[in-house]
Amino acid sequence: MESSNSDKIPSGKVSDYDRKTELKFFDDSKLGVKGLLDAGLTKIPRMFINDQHKTHTNPVSQASPEGVPIIDFKGIDKDAVLRSQIIKKVGEACEKWGFFQVVNHGIPESVLNAMIDGVRGFHEQDDETKKVWYSRDSQTKVRFRSNFDLYKARMANWRDSLSCLMAPDPPRPEQLPAVCRRYSDGILRTSSEIGATLFQLLSEALGLHPNHLKDMGCAESILILGHYYPPCPEPQLTLGTSSHTDPDFFTILLQDKIGGLQVLHEDQWVDVPPIPGALVINMGDLLQLVSNNKFKSIFHRVLAKQVGPRISVACFFRGQRNSTRLYCPIKELLPEGNPPIYRETTINEYLTYYYSKGLDGNSSLPHFKL
């Protein structure tokens, strides 16, 4: 993007505002938020000004003694008593927070750092190479874009993303950006391994057989997003990611040291501080649905910052979108006097509804209530 292009996207102070034109110009550049900074922009365009952030509808927790739970997985496969204790902690975290961090999960920190480097490498490569991957075609297995809901949301987020559908049918090497190819096998292997462990623990925490969620097809699809949050010249006016819940069973998030992730707990925004080598786990809407509200899918967001870039890798575990399998509250979790809260739905129906409204600050779950 040439430096003169930054003048064509109006800042928040422009009075004769044409949002449609602004969105189209930004999208047609195929360079995302980073392209704006590379062009020398010093004021954020109006399309990014986030009323959700400005109004502070929920206060920020001030030095709360209680934070997002941190669970140590060391020895989980060697000591039955320890495993039972970990399962209990996982269950408590899922019921109370919907979030927890995992340490000593078995994935070397060098592998995690390589994942971050892979995402950085893609987003910081030359413009012409990167633009080839820019697409809003939902049928494309690997694509680069900024804001999946750009034309639906009330405001855009200060974030670019590389998305890759890694399972059940992973892309061939030639279908991946060259800069990412050497990392793809490691990302799929490590996410699948820790994902399998988590599905077992979550099943047992619900009082079910360890393979129950897996046998329901919950682990059949893995979507990986490599997020890139450039430094923002006016972070007080926008968000890296608006408040939302995730449309999956659970998400594994690897974040770098910049920070900015917050979870809404008891009507207060609580920081999820980066811990070297840790993974952040959060429950998704679909797990809240099948657990009949026992496990919680909690709102979370990412703040924009003047420092950066912030880089994260998110792995979303969900059933196959083209499957006709129906998901509803698990009957073993419905004792007498505890009726199902949600109706049956398919993965495709849920995702279609979720993506149709974008990140509007509201959960999709009420739409599926009985």
Side-chain angles (χ1 to χ4, degrees), residues 41-197:
L41 184 128
T42 58
K43 296 284 186 181
I44 69 171
R46 185 167 171 178
M47 60 184 273
F48 290 98
I49 294 180
N50 196 317
D51 294 333
Q52 180 191 108
H53 187 280
K54 290 165 61 182
T55 55
H56 298 290
T57 52
N58 300 93
V60 176
S61 176
Q62 299 294 328
S64 172
E66 185 181 27
V68 173
I70 301 170
I71 304 177
D72 192 339
F73 275 18
K74 186 175 183 179
I76 191 171
D77 293 324
K78 299 177 181 178
D79 186 326
V81 174
L82 179 59
R83 182 182 178 86
S84 295
Q85 294 173 347
I86 292 174
I87 290 171
K88 181 181 179 182
K89 290 178 181 178
V90 167
E92 291 173 347
C94 293
E95 291 181 33
K96 185 174 182 180
W97 283 86
F99 265 76
F100 58 93
Q101 297 207 64
V102 176
V103 296
N104 294 319
H105 42 66
I107 302 175
E109 194 168 344
S110 59
V111 174
L112 301 180
N113 291 337
M115 293 182 187
I116 295 292
D117 290 342
V119 173
R120 183 192 301 275
F122 173 82
H123 288 283
E124 295 184 355
Q125 64 187 323
D126 69 88
D127 290 348
E128 294 307 311
T129 302
K130 188 167 63 174
K131 286 169 70 171
V132 172
W133 298 95
Y134 196 91
S135 174
R136 294 200 177 274
D137 181 359
S138 61
Q139 302 303 310
T140 302
K141 187 172 292 188
V142 182
R143 54 182 168 156
F144 160 55
R145 60 184 170 174
S146 185
N147 290 261
F148 78 88
D149 57 351
L150 184 67
Y151 295 99
K152 297 183 179 71
R154 289 182 302 134
M155 67 288 293
N157 288 164
W158 197 258
R159 179 192 73 249
D160 298 329
S161 304
L162 172 67
S163 67
C164 182
L165 186 61
M166 295 297 289
D169 181 24
R172 300 185 302 275
E174 63 270 21
Q175 293 178 299
L176 291 166
V179 71
C180 300
R181 288 171 191 167
R182 64 184 176 128
Y183 304 106
S184 61
D185 287 343
I187 291 176
L188 179 58
R189 183 178 63 257
T190 53
S191 60
S192 297
E193 289 174 355
I194 189 67
T197 297

